[in-house]
């Protein structure tokens, strides 16, 4: 603990779960006045949920929030704001089509009987912007300003005279270096006024630049809280993605005498401007290639480029030595490539459809819509998949939305496998599922690989990669920075490669 | 010039252009007499469209408007034959419109139902209600109604404003004040622009949604009152499809169908353009009424395509 007098805000035993996922598990945190506290963690670690709870946008299941030593009940964003907890949410924070002054005046009292006094609203807006030394035309729509200016507008809107804690969720995600520097100048000034600042980001450099304290979350649990001066980059990365696990090291040993099959997919100079720098990648039969890197390093982008879900603007792909004329999801499916996306709710599964119907989707797409798969065939296939992957369900007609996270992930896999792919791309196959299902999925990956399939597995869990992969591709800042083979695959080696400058 | 006025300017330009074209084709077209008539004939649809403007600005839609107009008419007519004073029934029907709209808004927000389907239900319920009340056209004979129908304010140049037109202009002024000088008005734009952001910024989204549909409801009821006074009768099949004309007027007036962008004043000109088109074609005489819909349709099409390009610059700047 930092031990620097009384905290401004203290969170005690915060619990929050969503259907199928525990988002926050007994989290205890405190934020000190006049210090910048960075919150780190991969996607789904619980950062966003935590600040939504703190700012009243989400109700917690249990736990307590203390503000300056007083127990408070944060029921809404408006209530939080009145107490002095100001939050600037990621991306969604202003109404782009409305003018700056209208955004500033929204949900504020400046005028009687529900009327708005635009004279007062304008003065208020100008005053607020002045605090951040922002001199802009307040009548122009917010959307016509750069993202950096929008971010500053959102901050000045959130800051009240009584603001004691300011929460910034990924404020620098879309800023360039110069814009970030000016934002940091503002943060430092607010900090010197005694405001506690909570700063969420996935840029490690920025954490070391600006923060005083660092807390790391993983899978809804608080891993650690330290002062930044006691930490090295390597410590932070280890705590974010590495985890001591004997079992993992053990599996790595088994792979030492591995020999890969023939090249199945060869990407040459594949890339897209501003998304991912051109890279070479080879996937071989009977081999699992792991994709390691921090959040935002380009893991997902690489998988999507290979599949064609993101259109590449450079490079080419050869499958079995034949060059693909154009890379698109449909062409990839026909060529025997299957893809399981990271966000299974948004991209992978349709919750209202049954297990059988979800499994059929990709298979039907591969066959073309005219050749229908008979109901009998469908049922047979679904039953086989449920048995093969040990999906816990009474029957194949249960809507996927009612399954647990781990079983949903298995349905995603089943769906990909139903089209009998030769190359399988998995993005975060174990996201948001419990430990038991975790091990099952990894065992499944190894089994598929033994059957001669070529796999590419992107994961934020280093141990998962160490356990599953025969070869690891390491990513940093939207570049492929290297590959690690066979025996060399250890947690420490990967972390070192990511941390090396 | 602020970008947000561009669509309104385009609407006014089209209106003036159509008016001048009419003037060049027919004698006496460019007069306050024609203008007064267009205002009188379209007063009810413009009033309904003003209410619809709020609903569309909030990102919703209201299909119950036409049925509400007819329902208000038949109830007024039947109560008139039962001896009620029109002022009492008018007050009652306005309150009904407000409450019915509020109910629709509440269900839409509380049950997270698409506004389209909820107000479609409202359309059927109210139209069915009309047939429950009466199956025939019922005249309204109270002297108050006759007096209202004959009250006119002369305009320079031989034209005049009817009661309906004046009610319409007054309700327009009130709507402009609500939209631009009240917190509720700002909240409507906010939830139409980005509902989730608005919620996170502290906008009371449920209250705003309920009030938005209530506003739509009370304006639809007022349109019904004006229509009943204009025709001096109530008819259960009246104003069929008027909600679509109202939506067309709103869109022609420069309001974005996806919500968050638009001006109430534009709706007046949107409605006037629709009225002007039918007047032009009626003046021509030989063209049949099919052309009224065809030319309105073409104009609507041109406008929505134009908005697409005008509005593009309002959008949030996205990362590539």
């Amino acid at each position: 603990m930092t031990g620097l007098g009384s905290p401004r805000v203290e969170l005690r035993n915060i619990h929050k779960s969503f259907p199928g996922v525990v988002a926050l598990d007994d989290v205890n945190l405190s934020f000190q006045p006049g210090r910048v506290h960075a919150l780190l963690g991969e996607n789904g670690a619980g950062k966003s949920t935590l600040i939504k709870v703190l700012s009243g946008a989400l109700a917690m299941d249990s736990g307590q929030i203390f503000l300056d030593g007083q127990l408070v009940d944060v029921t809404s964003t408006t209530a939080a704001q009145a107490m002095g907890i100001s939050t600037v949410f990621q991306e969604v924070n202003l109404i782009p089509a409305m003018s700056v002054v209208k955004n500033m005046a929204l949900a504020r009292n400046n005028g009687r009987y529900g009327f708005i006094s635009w004279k007062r609203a304008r003065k208020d807006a100008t005053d607020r912007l002045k605090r951040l030394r922002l001199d802009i035309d307040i009548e122009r729509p917010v959307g016509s300003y750069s993202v950096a200016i929008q971010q500053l507008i959102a901050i000045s809107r959130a800051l009240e005279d009584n603001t004691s804690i300011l929460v910034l969720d990924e404020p620098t995600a879309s800023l360039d270096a110069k814009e970030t520097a000016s934002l940091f100048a503002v943060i430092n000034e607010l900090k010197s006024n005694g405001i506690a600042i909570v700063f969420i980001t996935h840029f490690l450099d920025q954490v070391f630049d600006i923060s005083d304290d660092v807390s790391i979350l993983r899978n809804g649990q608080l891993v650690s809280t330290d002062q930044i001066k006691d930490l090295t980059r390597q410590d932070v990365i280890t705590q974010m993605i590495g985890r001591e696990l004997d079992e993992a090291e053990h599996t790595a040993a088994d792979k030492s005498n591995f020999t890969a099959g023939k090249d199945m997919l060869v990407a040459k100079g594949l890339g897209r401007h501003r998304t991912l720098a051109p890279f070479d990648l080879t996937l071989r039969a009977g081999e699992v290639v792991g994709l390691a890197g921090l959040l935002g390093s380009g893991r997902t982008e690489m998988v999507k480029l290979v599949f064609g879900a993101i259109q590449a603007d450079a490079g080419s792909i050869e499958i079995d030595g034949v060059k693909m004329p154009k890379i698109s999801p449909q062409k990839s499916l026909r060529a025997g490539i299957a893809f399981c996306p990271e966000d299974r709710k948004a991209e992978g599964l349709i919750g209202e459809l049954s297990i059988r119907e979800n499994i059929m989707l990709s298979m039907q797409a591969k066959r073309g819509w005219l050749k229908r798969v008979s109901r009998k065939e469908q049922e047979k296939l679904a039953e086989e998949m449920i048995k093969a992957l040990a999906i816990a369900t009474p029957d194949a007609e249960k809507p996927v939305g009612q399954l647990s996270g781990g079983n949903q992930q298995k349905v995603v896999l089943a769906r990909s496998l139903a089209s009998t792919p030769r190359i399988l791309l998995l993005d975060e196959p174990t996201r948001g599922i419990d430990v038991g299902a975790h091990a099952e999925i990894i065992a499944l990956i190894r089994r598929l690989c033994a059957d001669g399939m070529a796999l590419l597995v992107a994961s934020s869990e280093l141990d998962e990669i160490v356990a599953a992969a025969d070869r690891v591709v390491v990513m940093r800042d939207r570049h492929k920075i290297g590959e690690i083979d066979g025996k060399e695959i250890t947690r420490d080696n990967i972390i070192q490669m990511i941390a090396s400058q | 010039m602020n970008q947000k006025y561009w669509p309104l300017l385009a609407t006014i330009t089209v209106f003036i252009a159509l008016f001048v074209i009419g003037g060049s084709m027919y004698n006496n077209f460019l007069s306050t007499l024609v203008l007064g008539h267009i205002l009188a004939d379209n007063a009810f649809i413009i009033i309904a469209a003003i209410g619809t403007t709020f609903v569309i600005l909030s990102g919703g839609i209201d299909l119950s408007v036409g049925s509400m107009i007819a329902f208000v008419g038949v109830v007024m007519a039947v109560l008139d034959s039962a001896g009620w004073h029109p002022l009492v029934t008018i007050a009652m029907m306005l309150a009904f419109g407000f409450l019915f709209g509020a109910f629709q808004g509440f269900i839409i927000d509380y049950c997270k139902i698409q506004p389209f389907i909820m107000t479609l239900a409202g359309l059927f319920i109210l139209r069915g209600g009309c047939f429950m009340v009466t199956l025939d056209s019922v005249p309204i004979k109270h002297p108050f109604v006759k007096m209202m129908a004959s009250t006119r304010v002369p305009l320079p140049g031989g034209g005049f404003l009817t009661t309906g037109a004046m009610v319409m202009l007054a309700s327009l002024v009130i709507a402009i004040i609500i939209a631009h000088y009240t917190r509720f008005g700002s909240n409507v734009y906010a939830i139409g622009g980005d509902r989730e952001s608005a919620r996170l910024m502290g906008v009371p989204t449920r209250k705003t949604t309920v009030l938005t549909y209530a506003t739509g409801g009370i304006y639809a009821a007022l349109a019904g009152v004006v229509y009943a006074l204009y025709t001096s009768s109530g008819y259960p099949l009246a104003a069929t499809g008027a909600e679509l004309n109202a939506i067309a007027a709103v869109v022609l007036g420069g309001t974005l169908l996806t919500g968050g962008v638009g001006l109430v004043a534009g709706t007046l000109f949107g409605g006037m353009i629709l009225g002007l088109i039918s007047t032009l074609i009626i003046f021509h005489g030989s063209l049949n009424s099919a052309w009224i819909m065809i030319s309105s349709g073409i104009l609507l099409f041109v406008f929505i395509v134009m908005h697409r390009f005008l509005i593009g610059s309002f959008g949030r700047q996205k990362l590539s």
Side-chain angles (χ1 to χ4, degrees):
Chain A
M1 226 25 261
T2 44
L4 287 159
S6 60
R8 182 119 283 166
V9 168
E10 203 181 342
L11 304 172
R12 279 193 206 155
N13 312 103
I14 306 287
H15 276 275
K16 173 77 194 174
S17 52
F18 298 108
V21 199
V22 177
L24 291 175
D25 185 8
D26 199 24
V27 172
N28 290 283
L29 263 179
S30 58
F31 304 115
Q32 312 288 335
R35 292 177 76 84
V36 177
H37 195 131
L39 272 185
L40 295 178
E42 290 283 302
N43 271 332
K47 295 169 297 182
S48 290
T49 312
L50 186 73
I51 62 148
K52 281 196 171 157
V53 165
L54 174 60
S55 62
L58 267 180
M60 56 193 167
D61 297 341
S62 66
Q64 292 171 310
I65 299 176
F66 292 87
L67 184 65
D68 292 320
Q70 300 277 314
L71 178 66
V72 289
D73 187 14
V74 189
T75 48
S76 70
T77 48
T78 323
Q81 183 99 21
M83 290 174 203
I85 304 172
S86 300
T87 309
V88 178
F89 293 96
Q90 182 183 4
E91 297 291 332
V92 281
N93 40 29
L94 295 169
I95 315 288
M98 291 172 80
S99 69
V100 176
V101 57
K102 285 192 173 174
N103 267 285
M104 291 279 191
L106 257 190
R108 296 210 192 282
N109 259 326
N110 51 14
R112 277 188 245 181
Y113 312 116
F115 283 92
I116 295 176
S117 156
W118 286 116
K119 205 175 138 202
R120 274 171 64 183
R122 280 193 193 97
K123 186 174 175 305
D124 176 62
T126 321
D127 288 350
R128 280 168 183 281
L129 294 170
K130 236 184 236 155
R131 271 190 261 175
L132 299 191
R133 308 219 168 77
L134 212 54
D135 185 20
I136 52 172
D137 179 1
I138 57 172
E139 303 295 338
R140 263 175 62 185
V142 163
S144 67
Y145 287 103
S146 72
V147 184
I149 300 282
Q150 291 186 27
Q151 199 65 255
L152 290 176
I153 295 171
I155 294 174
S156 61
R157 183 184 183 280
L159 280 178
E160 299 286 346
D161 292 331
N162 71 343
T163 292
S164 56
I165 176 165
L166 175 67
V167 184
L168 302 171
D169 188 1
E170 294 275 8
T172 55
S174 37
L175 305 189
D176 64 26
K178 206 178 129 225
E179 293 167 334
T180 304
S182 63
L183 177 67
F184 281 4
V186 169
I187 291 180
N188 276 322
E189 198 179 323
L190 296 171
K191 180 177 133 179
S192 64
N193 295 341
I195 293 176
I197 290 162
V198 180
F199 178 58
I200 295 177
T201 185
H202 63 265
F203 296 111
L204 271 193
D205 292 338
Q206 296 181 359
V207 172
F208 283 88
D209 280 351
I210 190 124
S211 58
D212 303 298
D213 306 306
V214 179
S215 287
I216 294 165
L217 288 166
R218 214 162 87 192
N219 294 331
Q221 288 172 330
L222 181 69
V223 178
S224 65
T225 298
D226 293 286
Q227 293 198 31
I228 193 80
K229 60 177 167 34
D230 302 332
L231 290 171
T232 64
R233 296 174 66 88
Q234 202 143 337
D235 295 335
V236 174
I237 298 170
T238 308
Q239 288 173 6
M240 276 170 75
I241 58 177
R243 183 171 44 183
E244 311 287 346
L245 243 185
D246 299 339
E247 191 192 335
E249 309 293 342
H250 177 71
T251 349
D254 291 347
K255 296 180 299 207
S256 52
N257 54 359
F258 163 81
T259 44
K262 66 180 175 78
D263 293 358
M264 290 180 85
L265 182 146
V266 181
K268 283 184 190 148
L270 199 65
R272 183 183 164 87
H273 184 59
R274 296 180 73 131
T275 305
L276 195 60
F279 61 89
D280 296 333
L281 178 74
T282 306
L283 302 181
R284 304 191 189 104
E287 184 191 37
V288 177
V289 176
L291 204 49
L294 295 179
L295 179 66
S297 60
R299 292 182 316 232
T300 299
E301 288 78 2
M302 180 180 275
V303 179
K304 285 191 169 174
L305 274 167
V306 170
F307 187 63
I310 298 178
Q311 203 65 51
D313 61 9
S316 63
I317 286 185
E318 282 176 12
I319 291 173
D320 299 327
V322 182
K323 196 176 163 205
M324 296 251 285
K326 188 174 167 279
I327 314 161
S328 71
Q330 207 187 357
K331 292 243 161 62
S332 297
L333 278 170
R334 293 250 162 91
I337 306 178
F339 168 52
C340 299
E342 173 179 15
D343 185 348
R344 46 181 186 265
K345 287 218 178 66
E347 303 179 49
L349 286 179
I350 300 167
E352 291 81 17
L353 294 185
S354 72
I355 298 174
R356 174 181 56 78
E357 286 162 326
N358 267 294
I359 291 177
M360 291 323 297
L361 279 175
S362 74
M363 196 177 174
Q364 191 72 70
K366 190 186 178 195
R367 277 204 185 185
W369 290 101
L370 289 178
K371 291 178 206 146
R372 267 195 61 80
V373 183
S374 79
R375 175 77 184 223
K376 216 169 163 188
E377 256 179 282
Q378 291 184 22
E379 276 164 6
K380 189 165 152 265
L381 189 80
E383 285 305 325
E384 276 173 22
M385 283 294 168
I386 289 170
K387 224 158 115 196
L389 304 187
I391 300 171
T393 175
D395 59 63
E397 298 307 315
K398 189 163 173 156
V400 164
Q402 294 172 15
L403 297 176
S404 72
N407 282 306
Q408 286 189 7
Q409 191 59 43
K410 286 181 184 169
V411 176
V412 175
L413 271 171
R415 199 178 71 180
S416 307
L417 296 175
S419 59
T420 55
R422 298 175 309 129
I423 301 167
L424 185 57
L425 314 175
L426 303 173
D427 192 6
E428 294 288 354
T430 57
R431 158 74 33 83
I433 66 182
D434 58 56
V435 183
H438 223 261
E440 275 183 56
I441 300 253
I442 292 184
L444 189 72
I445 290 173
R446 292 304 312 173
R447 213 165 71 218
L448 292 170
C449 166
D451 292 345
M453 203 181 274
L455 286 102
L456 178 64
V457 181
S459 173
S460 57
E461 295 277 343
L462 263 196
D463 293 313
E464 190 174 300
I465 291 198
V466 172
D470 302 305
R471 186 153 54 93
V472 177
V473 171
V474 183
M475 312 282 299
R476 189 180 64 214
D477 297 336
R478 303 182 179 275
H479 286 77
K480 174 179 167 181
I481 55 170
E483 285 193 13
I484 303 176
D485 262 331
K487 268 192 205 154
E488 301 297 307
I489 303 177
T490 61
R491 239 162 32 88
D492 293 343
N493 281 348
I494 298 175
I495 290 172
Q496 231 158 47
M497 193 179 256
I498 297 175
S500 67
Q501 287 289 359
Chain B
M1 189 74 199
N2 197 319
Q3 278 179 328
K4 78 174 180 182
Y5 296 114
W6 290 359
L8 178 64
L9 273 183
T11 307
I12 295 177
T13 309
V14 169
F15 175 72
I16 293 173
L18 282 174
F19 212 36
V20 171
I21 289 170
S24 70
M25 286 164 73
Y26 313 107
N27 289 334
N28 307 327
F29 194 89
L30 261 179
S31 66
T32 52
L33 189 68
V34 172
L35 192 68
H37 269 295
I38 295 175
L39 281 173
D41 294 343
N42 295 283
F44 83 98
I45 208 81
I46 294 173
I47 292 171
I50 291 168
T52 303
T53 311
F54 283 96
V55 175
I56 291 180
L57 279 176
S58 80
I61 198 93
D62 189 352
L63 298 180
S64 66
V65 171
S67 302
M68 176 66 84
I69 292 172
F71 185 72
V72 167
V74 292
V75 173
M76 275 180 71
V78 168
L79 290 182
D80 178 70
S81 16
W84 292 47
H85 192 281
L87 279 178
V88 177
T89 51
I90 288 171
M92 216 175 74
M93 292 325 289
L94 292 183
F96 172 76
F98 185 86
L99 291 176
F100 190 83
F103 170 74
Q104 292 194 125
F106 179 76
I107 299 292
I108 287 165
D109 191 84
Y110 186 77
C111 304
K112 309 232 177 324
I113 288 175
Q114 283 85 353
F116 183 95
I117 209 70
M118 178 63 224
T119 57
L120 183 64
L123 180 155
F124 286 136
I125 292 169
L126 288 176
R127 188 64 71 178
C130 295
F131 296 126
M132 287 278 286
V133 175
T134 176
L135 288 173
D136 310 307
S137 176
V138 181
I140 302 178
K141 292 174 186 147
H142 197 280
F144 173 79
V145 172
K146 290 227 168 67
M147 187 192 80
M148 293 308 283
S150 55
T151 307
R152 315 186 144 184
V153 174
L155 289 174
F160 53 82
L161 282 179
T162 60
T163 318
M166 287 185 291
V167 169
M168 184 267 281
L169 292 174
S171 60
L172 178 75
V173 171
I174 293 170
I176 290 174
I177 291 170
I178 293 175
H180 302 297
Y181 295 94
T182 66
R183 283 212 296 282
F184 164 67
S186 257
N187 291 347
V188 169
Y189 279 90
I191 65 171
D194 187 333
R195 196 181 179 83
E196 182 57 15
S197 287
R199 191 178 73 83
L200 291 174
M201 288 167 84
V203 173
T205 49
R206 172 160 304 161
K207 190 176 133 196
T208 307
T209 307
V210 171
L211 266 182
T212 302
Y213 284 89
T215 308
I218 197 171
Y219 268 94
L222 184 65
V225 170
V226 168
Y227 188 69
L229 297 184
Y230 172 65
T231 57
S232 298
S233 68
Y235 181 49
L237 279 173
T240 316
E243 60 280 346
L244 301 180
N245 284 329
I247 293 168
V250 173
V251 172
L252 284 177
T255 298
L256 208 59
L257 206 49
T258 43
V261 179
L263 293 166
V264 180
T267 301
L268 169 70
F269 291 97
M272 294 283 281
I273 287 174
L274 288 178
L276 202 49
I277 290 173
S278 46
T279 311
L280 270 173
I281 285 166
I282 291 164
F283 256 69
H284 190 272
S286 67
L287 288 173
N288 65 31
S289 64
W291 287 102
I292 296 176
M293 293 195 99
I294 291 172
S295 26
S296 304
I298 291 172
L299 203 58
L300 201 57
F301 173 74
V302 170
F303 262 69
I304 49 179
V305 171
M306 188 187 73
H307 286 165
R308 195 76 238 149
F309 293 103
L310 274 183
I311 302 300
S313 50
F314 289 134
R316 187 188 286 274
Q317 298 193 353
K318 282 233 158 82
L319 274 184
S320 70

